[in-house]
Amino acid sequence: MTSHRSPLLRQLASEFLGTGLLVTVVVGSGIAAQNLSPADTGLQLLENSTTTAIGLTVLILALGPISGAHFNPVVSAVDWVLGRRHGAGLRPVELAGFVVVQIVGAIGGAVLANAMFEVPAAIATTDRVTTGHLLGEVVATAGLIFLIFALARSDRGAWAAPAVGAYIGAAYWFTSSTSFANPAVTIGRVFSDTFAGIAPTSVLPYIGAQLVGAAVGAALIVLLYPLVGRAAGAAVIPSSISSTS
């Protein structure tokens, strides 16, 4: 964990921009995949997942030194929970700010993707709730949380960008839900009635499954890395840009 952190306003701007652009990548590549491969759903998913994995990696590398590149309310929440006993991680006011800007950024990212591809503004109609899909969200989120904090605790934060990007890209395929694993992204994808969209009625069940997954991932990381709380604040990667930079 570094001794210098960016001012809160700069961190919030980073989380807003990063989460927004992440949703732009997810939704925009989904729209492009629909246009390029209209008759092949498997190819659409390959195009969408590959672009998302690469885009997420780039965003973590670009913005991680400012805010840690959480781009995800459950990552921020687990960072706060794990760090409380060690005086590390986000403070409550920072957590609240991160969650708000992540959600607002995600909505803006979907709107931006729609605008770029000239897709009419509409609420998504794709109902994604099944027992298998919700289990997939638990698995996807638990794995993501475990990966992020295992890397932070073992001082391998330099690997976080490619590792997290690779994990999300793979989880598109090995989970039935295609790995949303992110409440802000889930909410943002409501605002695009396209390949990547999710109906409003599916949002609360998905977020519930993501919270369960986050709790499972946190429990596993505490079990296997008992002192992980000391690394809170170094997830996804340590923020290292001081107020004079």
Side-chain angles (χ1 to χ4, degrees), residues 168-232:
I168 292 298
Y172 261 80
W173 291 90
F174 74 75
T175 66
S176 55
S177 63
T178 65
S179 183
F180 283 52
N182 184 328
V185 168
T186 303
I187 293 170
R189 288 167 68 165
V190 168
F191 293 86
S192 183
D193 192 17
T194 58
F195 180 77
I198 178 172
T201 52
S202 299
V203 169
L204 286 181
Y206 262 56
I207 291 177
Q210 291 158 3
L211 292 175
V212 171
V216 171
L220 288 173
I221 198 69
V222 169
L223 175 65
L224 297 176
Y225 291 87
L227 299 180
V228 67
R230 295 179 180 178

Side-chain angles (χ1 to χ4, degrees), residues 135-153:
L135 179 58
E137 280 302 286
V138 172
V139 171
T141 311
L144 177 65
I145 293 298
F146 183 82
L147 170 63
I148 287 170
F149 287 94
L151 291 174
R153 180 65 186 94

